[in-house]
Amino acid sequence: MPRTPDPIEDGLGSLPPPPPVFHVEQALLGALLLEPHRAANLTGISAEAFSTAGHAALLTAIRSLPAPDPAQHAKTTTWLNQVLAAAGEQTRGLTTAYLHHLIHCCPQPQHAPAYARIIEAEHARLHLRAAAQRLVHTALDTTLPHRVATTLAEATTLTTVVDDIANRFPPHPRSLPRTPATPAVVHDEEASGDEQLLLASATARPASVERMRWLTPGDFTHPLHAMLWRCLSTMARRGASIDPVTVRWEAQHHGLLTHGSEPAGLLGFLGEPAGCDPEYRGEQILRRSLLTTAQNTGRHIETLTHDPATTTYQLVVGARRALAGLNTVRTRWHLATTPPQVNTPTQARTSAPPRAGPPPTTAPPAVRSPR
């Protein structure tokens, strides 16, 4: 005798429950099936916003068919059968019983616009999460030929998604979103080595420090290196003499050298010979900082979308705050990588007629004094 499948033993009972918006979708579809004329007023929602293919197919079918006469619709199931047939052409598994179940799931058909707004908000949350995840994956992808440019393009796309959500969902008086925990800084040996090379080469070539205003202490991964760059920048701005000895003295005034520490041992790398170009090394540090900031920005926004207590407006506020930090690093990256423009006279200036004025006077000949 064949064995009857057991949903618990066979693992069929371990399916995750549907998301909360699934029940809102049922209420909306039930309202439209019960009173089809209400579909004409739902212009902001699309089939892509639904969580299942069956629900999306039902909305498409409802919109594709003309609304029936309310009196006839209350007496017959002709229009419901047409909806079921049209939706069945897009997906399988829909039955007449499920359509009647949807009708029973709707408490108030006149609340259909509110149901649609909830579904739109949840779809916006998922859309924002997907864009944030793409930003993180792009910033981490070391196989990309133009990793920074592609990452910045994804950041622009994410900003467009946030702006679109902000336009569709106006602000409302609510508390600001909760700030997710800041990810711990991971000390990278390669990054630390690059930072030490930059500090040593900048100490040997202090003129480069003033040209690297686009590099900030926040771009460094090691706190000591960040403070040393602050010391170098401060000394360069006030025109102080810069060498390993003076930098160590400046570091002591900034509290980097504690009692009992040996300056030569703690900051010995400042006096090591560094033949690299400081500005090139600074660009590498800024590049790493930009990619790390992009990763943290995407993860921050993704974390916001996973909090069900965060409203759509709070998502917009939190996402814009996170993107503001990334845009700051982006601006400094463009300053570092854009070659300075050479001031050359324009063709219009060289071909312009001379300014009108009095004719030049002829200077009298110089009188030679007698010897």
Side-chain angles (χ1 to χ4, degrees):
M1 180 177 180
R3 173 180 174 274
T4 303
D6 190 301
I8 298 180
E9 294 181 359
D10 297 342
L12 300 179
S14 60
L15 294 177
V21 73
F22 178 84
H23 305 287
V24 184
E25 295 173 6
Q26 288 183 322
L28 174 62
L29 292 173
L32 299 182
L33 292 173
L34 187 61
E35 300 180 3
H37 67 278
R38 298 189 181 276
N41 299 325
L42 305 180
T43 58
I45 191 171
S46 63
E48 298 176 354
F50 286 80
S51 61
T52 67
H55 287 179
L58 282 174
L59 180 68
T60 302
I62 291 172
R63 285 179 164 173
S64 65
L65 297 173
D69 178 72
Q72 292 295 327
H73 182 58
K75 298 178 182 179
T76 66
T77 61
T78 303
W79 188 79
L80 294 179
N81 295 334
Q82 295 175 353
V83 170
L84 184 61
E89 296 177 356
Q90 303 178 47
T91 185
R92 299 189 305 174
L94 296 174
T95 62
T96 304
Y98 187 65
L99 263 62
H100 288 282
H101 173 70
L102 293 176
I103 294 175
H104 287 289
C105 287
C106 178
Q108 297 290 341
Q110 64 269 25
H111 293 169
Y115 303 151
R117 197 62 170 168
I118 295 173
I119 297 171
E120 288 181 62
E122 187 61 22
H123 182 249
R125 179 189 301 268
L126 298 179
H127 193 193
L128 180 62
R129 182 184 304 168
Q133 290 173 343
R134 287 195 301 269
L135 176 61
V136 175
H137 294 163
T138 304
L140 289 172
D141 191 354
T142 58
T143 63
L144 294 174
H146 304 287
R147 187 177 170 190
V148 172
T150 309
T151 299
L152 293 179
E154 287 295 342
T156 301
T157 302
L158 177 57
T159 303
T160 303
V161 172
V162 175
D163 292 341
D164 178 67
I165 296 175
N167 293 332
R168 292 167 50 205
F169 295 88
H172 54 81
R174 289 292 297 271
S175 59
L176 297 177
R178 289 174 287 184
T179 303
T182 305
V185 178
V186 179
H187 295 291
D188 186 357
E189 293 297 332
E190 181 182 356
S192 181
D194 288 342
E195 292 168 3
Q196 290 186 0
L197 286 175
L198 167 66
L199 293 170
S201 59
T203 302
R205 305 177 188 176
S208 63
V209 178
E210 273 294 285
R211 296 194 298 268
M212 298 168 63
R213 290 178 175 267
W214 35 262
L215 191 65
T216 67
D219 297 321
F220 290 76
T221 61
H222 199 287
L224 174 63
H225 301 160
M227 289 303 299
L228 282 175
W229 181 253
R230 187 185 300 277
C231 292
L232 278 169
S233 302
T234 302
M235 296 174 68
R237 281 196 297 270
R238 68 170 185 252
S241 301
I242 296 179
D243 61 28
V245 175
T246 58
V247 173
R248 290 168 187 164
W249 185 252
E250 185 76 17
Q252 179 177 336
H253 290 166
H254 281 75
L256 300 184
L257 302 179
T258 58
H259 293 289
S261 61
E262 175 59 36
L266 185 62
L267 307 179
F269 60 86
L270 291 177
E272 296 179 358
C276 63
D277 179 14
E279 295 184 50
Y280 169 78
R281 192 64 59 182
E283 287 185 14
Q284 298 305 307
I285 294 174
L286 182 57
R287 178 180 184 273
R288 183 182 291 109
S289 175
L290 187 148
L291 294 174
T292 302
T293 304
Q295 298 169 30
N296 294 337
T297 299
R299 291 193 180 101
H300 180 98
I301 297 175
E302 182 183 359
T303 302
L304 288 176
T305 63
H306 282 292
D307 185 358
T310 305
T311 65
T312 309
Y313 174 63
Q314 290 174 328
L315 286 177
V316 171
V317 173
R320 283 180 168 171
R321 283 183 172 182
L323 287 168
L326 176 58
N327 289 334
T328 300
V329 185
R330 181 179 194 165
T331 300
R332 293 192 286 110
W333 171 257
H334 286 309
L335 291 175
T337 56
T338 303
Q341 296 181 356
V342 180
N343 294 326
T344 57
T346 59
Q347 184 68 23
R349 181 179 299 176
T350 56
S351 60
R355 186 185 305 175
T361 58
T362 304
V367 179
R368 180 180 299 177
S369 59
R371 294 182 180 179

